[in-house]
Amino acid sequence: MNDRIVVIAGGLSPERDVSLRSGRRVAEDLRDAGFQAEVRDIDATLLADLQNDPPACAFPIVHGVAGEDGSLQEVLQAINVPFVGSDATSCRRSFDKAIAGSLVSAAGISIPNAIALPQAMFRDLGAGGLLDAITEKVGLPLIIKPNRGGSALGVSVVRDPAELPAAMVGAFAYGDVVLIQRYIEGTEIAVGVYDIGDGPVALPATEIVPDSGLYDYTARYTAGTTEFFTPARLEDRLLEAAAETAVTAHRVLGLRDWSRSDLVVDADGKVWFLEVNVSPGMTETSLYPQEVAASDSSIGDLLTALVKRAVARG
Ligand SMILES: Nc1ncnc2c1ncn2[C@@H]1O[C@H](COP(=O)(O)OP(=O)(O)O)[C@@H](O)[C@H]1O
Ligand SMILES: [Mg+2]
């Protein structure tokens, strides 16, 4: 078999650098596992190269809009290049936090109270009255985030209504729709899921303890600013509930191969779903590789299995 894998990383989102780091690492792991892997950016030569010299499969690891909203996947599907990860439709419904939230909520998963607000609505109805009504309905504290975003860019916590307008402006900088969501106090965890043919399986949960209290961009990509515990320091029944939540979200959203759900477990032991990532970060400080390292599998074995599945799908 042709064992050439094209890892697609980069793109033009604010998460470009993170994606390039993820891509380099996946390519390295694939080479260690015996594949011929190269990293390619999304640029004007990519399409022709994929068509003229088709690889065994592509491995998209582009974070943010172009990589996770399904558009890259749609293009790969159109030119018949098999790829690792979820198809375009599932990416699209997962990347929109409000849509993903409604779908998993219908399956019985708890999601924080939230309202998604397009910038135009904000302008047409008047910011002041609207923000008051929303604050009343959703309840303080709030977390403000772009409805379609990543890496905590444009995310802020609002404990005092006076901070809300600035938080909205910060989030609108990253997208046209902002999600105003109830902030859930508790233990933040991430749960990776993989499916190598026997259905989705949860990896050990990673507990995230940022020095600053908020798992923002700096806390994510500056080594040493966040403490991680894998498995999370939670009772077994809570770890099981979290694993079940991540697997259910993966199933309900129709995801394929791999995903990572971001969750919060509150003091009452309730598991709240924040979002799911279809191309989880794979950098040195990322969560998914830490979880694989703590599992019975190895990153090499897992990537090999995912690639083989993508190739077999053809
Ligand atoms: N409802 C919430 N309650 C508590 N913390 C939250 C909530 N929503 C988001 N956060 C915090 O903000 C971070 C980013 O939010 P998330 O929904 O995961 O978006 P993304 O990772 O795509 O930027 C999370 O890792 C978490 O620390
Ligand atoms: Mg997240």
Side-chain angles (χ1 to χ4, degrees), residues 144-170:
I144 310 301
K145 53 183 156 183
N147 186 48
R148 294 151 45 90
S151 282
L153 291 162
V155 174
S156 44
V157 181
V158 166
R159 294 180 190 279
D160 178 337
E163 301 159 356
L164 189 50
M168 296 295 294
V169 171

PDB file of all heavy atoms in Angstrom, residues 144-170:
ATOM      1  N   ILE A 144     -18.572  34.548  28.113  1.00  0.00           N
ATOM      2  CA  ILE A 144     -18.873  35.098  26.794  1.00  0.00           C
ATOM      3  C   ILE A 144     -17.859  34.500  25.827  1.00  0.00           C
ATOM      4  O   ILE A 144     -16.660  34.551  26.092  1.00  0.00           O
ATOM      5  CB  ILE A 144     -18.711  36.640  26.794  1.00  0.00           C
ATOM      6  CG1 ILE A 144     -19.473  37.262  27.968  1.00  0.00           C
ATOM      7  CG2 ILE A 144     -19.140  37.255  25.464  1.00  0.00           C
ATOM      8  CD1 ILE A 144     -20.945  36.989  27.977  1.00  0.00           C
ATOM      9  N   LYS A 145     -18.349  33.913  24.724  1.00  0.00           N
ATOM     10  CA  LYS A 145     -17.399  33.328  23.764  1.00  0.00           C
ATOM     11  C   LYS A 145     -17.946  33.376  22.352  1.00  0.00           C
ATOM     12  O   LYS A 145     -19.164  33.398  22.165  1.00  0.00           O
ATOM     13  CB  LYS A 145     -17.071  31.891  24.166  1.00  0.00           C
ATOM     14  CG  LYS A 145     -18.251  30.967  24.376  1.00  0.00           C
ATOM     15  CD  LYS A 145     -17.782  29.579  24.853  1.00  0.00           C
ATOM     16  CE  LYS A 145     -18.856  28.842  25.612  1.00  0.00           C
ATOM     17  NZ  LYS A 145     -18.458  27.555  26.142  1.00  0.00           N
ATOM     18  N   PRO A 146     -17.039  33.383  21.368  1.00  0.00           N
ATOM     19  CA  PRO A 146     -17.513  33.304  19.985  1.00  0.00           C
ATOM     20  C   PRO A 146     -18.252  31.975  19.814  1.00  0.00           C
ATOM     21  O   PRO A 146     -17.788  30.951  20.322  1.00  0.00           O
ATOM     22  CB  PRO A 146     -16.220  33.301  19.150  1.00  0.00           C
ATOM     23  CG  PRO A 146     -15.121  33.689  20.068  1.00  0.00           C
ATOM     24  CD  PRO A 146     -15.557  33.392  21.454  1.00  0.00           C
ATOM     25  N   ASN A 147     -19.399  31.981  19.123  1.00  0.00           N
ATOM     26  CA  ASN A 147     -20.164  30.739  18.959  1.00  0.00           C
ATOM     27  C   ASN A 147     -19.395  29.724  18.128  1.00  0.00           C
ATOM     28  O   ASN A 147     -19.547  28.531  18.294  1.00  0.00           O
ATOM     29  CB  ASN A 147     -21.504  31.052  18.288  1.00  0.00           C
ATOM     30  CG  ASN A 147     -22.399  29.834  18.214  1.00  0.00           C
ATOM     31  OD1 ASN A 147     -22.573  29.135  19.223  1.00  0.00           O
ATOM     32  ND2 ASN A 147     -22.935  29.558  17.048  1.00  0.00           N
ATOM     33  N   ARG A 148     -18.572  30.234  17.218  1.00  0.00           N
ATOM     34  CA  ARG A 148     -17.722  29.369  16.405  1.00  0.00           C
ATOM     35  C   ARG A 148     -16.301  29.864  16.569  1.00  0.00           C
ATOM     36  O   ARG A 148     -15.910  30.841  15.945  1.00  0.00           O
ATOM     37  CB  ARG A 148     -18.145  29.441  14.939  1.00  0.00           C
ATOM     38  CG  ARG A 148     -19.539  28.864  14.665  1.00  0.00           C
ATOM     39  CD  ARG A 148     -20.203  29.536  13.462  1.00  0.00           C
ATOM     40  NE  ARG A 148     -19.283  29.675  12.353  1.00  0.00           N
ATOM     41  CZ  ARG A 148     -19.112  28.756  11.390  1.00  0.00           C
ATOM     42  NH1 ARG A 148     -19.836  27.663  11.397  1.00  0.00           N
ATOM     43  NH2 ARG A 148     -18.267  28.950  10.427  1.00  0.00           N
ATOM     44  N   GLY A 149     -15.545  29.216  17.434  1.00  0.00           N
ATOM     45  CA  GLY A 149     -14.180  29.671  17.678  1.00  0.00           C
ATOM     46  C   GLY A 149     -13.383  28.552  18.294  1.00  0.00           C
ATOM     47  O   GLY A 149     -13.799  27.389  18.264  1.00  0.00           O
ATOM     48  N   GLY A 150     -12.242  28.903  18.864  1.00  0.00           N
ATOM     49  CA  GLY A 150     -11.426  27.873  19.487  1.00  0.00           C
ATOM     50  C   GLY A 150     -10.272  28.464  20.253  1.00  0.00           C
ATOM     51  O   GLY A 150     -10.047  29.683  20.219  1.00  0.00           O
ATOM     52  N   SER A 151      -9.580  27.608  20.989  1.00  0.00           N
ATOM     53  CA  SER A 151      -8.404  28.006  21.768  1.00  0.00           C
ATOM     54  C   SER A 151      -8.715  29.124  22.749  1.00  0.00           C
ATOM     55  O   SER A 151      -7.832  29.898  23.111  1.00  0.00           O
ATOM     56  CB  SER A 151      -7.237  28.411  20.859  1.00  0.00           C
ATOM     57  OG  SER A 151      -6.612  27.255  20.340  1.00  0.00           O
ATOM     58  N   ALA A 152      -9.975  29.225  23.158  1.00  0.00           N
ATOM     59  CA  ALA A 152     -10.409  30.221  24.132  1.00  0.00           C
ATOM     60  C   ALA A 152     -10.173  31.658  23.659  1.00  0.00           C
ATOM     61  O   ALA A 152     -10.183  32.592  24.454  1.00  0.00           O
ATOM     62  CB  ALA A 152      -9.769  29.983  25.498  1.00  0.00           C
ATOM     63  N   LEU A 153      -9.989  31.833  22.357  1.00  0.00           N
ATOM     64  CA  LEU A 153      -9.801  33.189  21.838  1.00  0.00           C
ATOM     65  C   LEU A 153     -11.130  33.932  21.906  1.00  0.00           C
ATOM     66  O   LEU A 153     -12.163  33.406  21.489  1.00  0.00           O
ATOM     67  CB  LEU A 153      -9.281  33.133  20.397  1.00  0.00           C
ATOM     68  CG  LEU A 153      -7.849  32.615  20.289  1.00  0.00           C
ATOM     69  CD1 LEU A 153      -7.528  32.153  18.872  1.00  0.00           C
ATOM     70  CD2 LEU A 153      -6.863  33.696  20.729  1.00  0.00           C
ATOM     71  N   GLY A 154     -11.113  35.148  22.460  1.00  0.00           N
ATOM     72  CA  GLY A 154     -12.327  35.940  22.579  1.00  0.00           C
ATOM     73  C   GLY A 154     -13.233  35.507  23.711  1.00  0.00           C
ATOM     74  O   GLY A 154     -14.387  35.923  23.788  1.00  0.00           O
ATOM     75  N   VAL A 155     -12.719  34.649  24.609  1.00  0.00           N
ATOM     76  CA  VAL A 155     -13.529  34.144  25.717  1.00  0.00           C
ATOM     77  C   VAL A 155     -13.264  34.974  26.976  1.00  0.00           C
ATOM     78  O   VAL A 155     -12.121  35.253  27.301  1.00  0.00           O
ATOM     79  CB  VAL A 155     -13.189  32.655  26.010  1.00  0.00           C
ATOM     80  CG1 VAL A 155     -13.925  32.161  27.258  1.00  0.00           C
ATOM     81  CG2 VAL A 155     -13.541  31.792  24.814  1.00  0.00           C
ATOM     82  N   SER A 156     -14.310  35.403  27.669  1.00  0.00           N
ATOM     83  CA  SER A 156     -14.092  36.033  28.967  1.00  0.00           C
ATOM     84  C   SER A 156     -15.207  35.724  29.949  1.00  0.00           C
ATOM     85  O   SER A 156     -16.337  35.414  29.557  1.00  0.00           O
ATOM     86  CB  SER A 156     -13.873  37.545  28.836  1.00  0.00           C
ATOM     87  OG  SER A 156     -14.801  38.101  27.953  1.00  0.00           O
ATOM     88  N   VAL A 157     -14.860  35.794  31.223  1.00  0.00           N
ATOM     89  CA  VAL A 157     -15.828  35.554  32.281  1.00  0.00           C
ATOM     90  C   VAL A 157     -16.350  36.911  32.739  1.00  0.00           C
ATOM     91  O   VAL A 157     -15.584  37.852  32.916  1.00  0.00           O
ATOM     92  CB  VAL A 157     -15.169  34.841  33.485  1.00  0.00           C
ATOM     93  CG1 VAL A 157     -16.198  34.569  34.584  1.00  0.00           C
ATOM     94  CG2 VAL A 157     -14.524  33.532  33.046  1.00  0.00           C
ATOM     95  N   VAL A 158     -17.667  37.008  32.918  1.00  0.00           N
ATOM     96  CA  VAL A 158     -18.282  38.252  33.367  1.00  0.00           C
ATOM     97  C   VAL A 158     -18.988  37.984  34.696  1.00  0.00           C
ATOM     98  O   VAL A 158     -19.923  37.193  34.768  1.00  0.00           O
ATOM     99  CB  VAL A 158     -19.280  38.769  32.310  1.00  0.00           C
ATOM    100  CG1 VAL A 158     -20.174  39.855  32.876  1.00  0.00           C
ATOM    101  CG2 VAL A 158     -18.529  39.297  31.091  1.00  0.00           C
ATOM    102  N   ARG A 159     -18.479  38.638  35.751  1.00  0.00           N
ATOM    103  CA  ARG A 159     -19.105  38.473  37.069  1.00  0.00           C
ATOM    104  C   ARG A 159     -19.947  39.694  37.429  1.00  0.00           C
ATOM    105  O   ARG A 159     -20.844  39.631  38.237  1.00  0.00           O
ATOM    106  CB  ARG A 159     -18.032  38.236  38.141  1.00  0.00           C
ATOM    107  CG  ARG A 159     -17.327  36.907  37.920  1.00  0.00           C
ATOM    108  CD  ARG A 159     -16.247  36.605  38.957  1.00  0.00           C
ATOM    109  NE  ARG A 159     -15.460  35.448  38.545  1.00  0.00           N
ATOM    110  CZ  ARG A 159     -15.829  34.180  38.708  1.00  0.00           C
ATOM    111  NH1 ARG A 159     -16.959  33.902  39.311  1.00  0.00           N
ATOM    112  NH2 ARG A 159     -15.070  33.196  38.272  1.00  0.00           N
ATOM    113  N   ASP A 160     -19.615  40.825  36.780  1.00  0.00           N
ATOM    114  CA  ASP A 160     -20.309  42.087  37.030  1.00  0.00           C
ATOM    115  C   ASP A 160     -20.893  42.549  35.688  1.00  0.00           C
ATOM    116  O   ASP A 160     -20.172  42.616  34.696  1.00  0.00           O
ATOM    117  CB  ASP A 160     -19.261  43.087  37.551  1.00  0.00           C
ATOM    118  CG  ASP A 160     -19.841  44.460  37.809  1.00  0.00           C
ATOM    119  OD1 ASP A 160     -20.892  44.797  37.207  1.00  0.00           O
ATOM    120  OD2 ASP A 160     -19.216  45.204  38.573  1.00  0.00           O
ATOM    121  N   PRO A 161     -22.213  42.850  35.641  1.00  0.00           N
ATOM    122  CA  PRO A 161     -22.831  43.247  34.368  1.00  0.00           C
ATOM    123  C   PRO A 161     -22.097  44.388  33.670  1.00  0.00           C
ATOM    124  O   PRO A 161     -22.141  44.485  32.436  1.00  0.00           O
ATOM    125  CB  PRO A 161     -24.237  43.695  34.785  1.00  0.00           C
ATOM    126  CG  PRO A 161     -24.497  43.036  36.091  1.00  0.00           C
ATOM    127  CD  PRO A 161     -23.175  42.817  36.755  1.00  0.00           C
ATOM    128  N   ALA A 162     -21.390  45.216  34.435  1.00  0.00           N
ATOM    129  CA  ALA A 162     -20.664  46.333  33.824  1.00  0.00           C
ATOM    130  C   ALA A 162     -19.555  45.845  32.889  1.00  0.00           C
ATOM    131  O   ALA A 162     -19.130  46.567  31.984  1.00  0.00           O
ATOM    132  CB  ALA A 162     -20.064  47.225  34.922  1.00  0.00           C
ATOM    133  N   GLU A 163     -19.096  44.599  33.091  1.00  0.00           N
ATOM    134  CA  GLU A 163     -18.014  44.072  32.237  1.00  0.00           C
ATOM    135  C   GLU A 163     -18.544  43.490  30.929  1.00  0.00           C
ATOM    136  O   GLU A 163     -17.779  43.125  30.036  1.00  0.00           O
ATOM    137  CB  GLU A 163     -17.271  42.933  32.968  1.00  0.00           C
ATOM    138  CG  GLU A 163     -16.653  43.331  34.282  1.00  0.00           C
ATOM    139  CD  GLU A 163     -16.398  42.115  35.198  1.00  0.00           C
ATOM    140  OE1 GLU A 163     -16.761  40.969  34.841  1.00  0.00           O
ATOM    141  OE2 GLU A 163     -15.835  42.339  36.289  1.00  0.00           O
ATOM    142  N   LEU A 164     -19.874  43.393  30.837  1.00  0.00           N
ATOM    143  CA  LEU A 164     -20.460  42.659  29.710  1.00  0.00           C
ATOM    144  C   LEU A 164     -20.208  43.298  28.339  1.00  0.00           C
ATOM    145  O   LEU A 164     -19.790  42.591  27.418  1.00  0.00           O
ATOM    146  CB  LEU A 164     -21.964  42.457  29.975  1.00  0.00           C
ATOM    147  CG  LEU A 164     -22.717  41.533  29.041  1.00  0.00           C
ATOM    148  CD1 LEU A 164     -22.017  40.198  28.878  1.00  0.00           C
ATOM    149  CD2 LEU A 164     -24.139  41.301  29.555  1.00  0.00           C
ATOM    150  N   PRO A 165     -20.432  44.610  28.169  1.00  0.00           N
ATOM    151  CA  PRO A 165     -20.229  45.174  26.825  1.00  0.00           C
ATOM    152  C   PRO A 165     -18.816  44.928  26.286  1.00  0.00           C
ATOM    153  O   PRO A 165     -18.655  44.524  25.139  1.00  0.00           O
ATOM    154  CB  PRO A 165     -20.502  46.672  27.031  1.00  0.00           C
ATOM    155  CG  PRO A 165     -21.424  46.723  28.209  1.00  0.00           C
ATOM    156  CD  PRO A 165     -20.986  45.601  29.111  1.00  0.00           C
ATOM    157  N   ALA A 166     -17.799  45.119  27.112  1.00  0.00           N
ATOM    158  CA  ALA A 166     -16.425  44.907  26.647  1.00  0.00           C
ATOM    159  C   ALA A 166     -16.197  43.438  26.284  1.00  0.00           C
ATOM    160  O   ALA A 166     -15.536  43.116  25.292  1.00  0.00           O
ATOM    161  CB  ALA A 166     -15.433  45.349  27.722  1.00  0.00           C
ATOM    162  N   ALA A 167     -16.791  42.555  27.071  1.00  0.00           N
ATOM    163  CA  ALA A 167     -16.638  41.118  26.792  1.00  0.00           C
ATOM    164  C   ALA A 167     -17.284  40.773  25.451  1.00  0.00           C
ATOM    165  O   ALA A 167     -16.747  39.978  24.676  1.00  0.00           O
ATOM    166  CB  ALA A 167     -17.279  40.306  27.914  1.00  0.00           C
ATOM    167  N   MET A 168     -18.438  41.404  25.159  1.00  0.00           N
ATOM    168  CA  MET A 168     -19.114  41.144  23.884  1.00  0.00           C
ATOM    169  C   MET A 168     -18.246  41.607  22.718  1.00  0.00           C
ATOM    170  O   MET A 168     -18.080  40.893  21.724  1.00  0.00           O
ATOM    171  CB  MET A 168     -20.458  41.896  23.833  1.00  0.00           C
ATOM    172  CG  MET A 168     -21.478  41.451  24.855  1.00  0.00           C
ATOM    173  SD  MET A 168     -22.041  39.760  24.634  1.00  0.00           S
ATOM    174  CE  MET A 168     -22.902  39.871  23.081  1.00  0.00           C
ATOM    175  N   VAL A 169     -17.671  42.799  22.853  1.00  0.00           N
ATOM    176  CA  VAL A 169     -16.813  43.330  21.783  1.00  0.00           C
ATOM    177  C   VAL A 169     -15.630  42.383  21.552  1.00  0.00           C
ATOM    178  O   VAL A 169     -15.281  42.058  20.420  1.00  0.00           O
ATOM    179  CB  VAL A 169     -16.327  44.762  22.134  1.00  0.00           C
ATOM    180  CG1 VAL A 169     -15.269  45.241  21.155  1.00  0.00           C
ATOM    181  CG2 VAL A 169     -17.510  45.731  22.165  1.00  0.00           C
ATOM    182  N   GLY A 170     -15.057  41.893  22.647  1.00  0.00           N
ATOM    183  CA  GLY A 170     -13.925  40.973  22.548  1.00  0.00           C
ATOM    184  C   GLY A 170     -14.281  39.694  21.809  1.00  0.00           C
ATOM    185  O   GLY A 170     -13.496  39.160  21.030  1.00  0.00           O
TER     186      GLY A 170
END
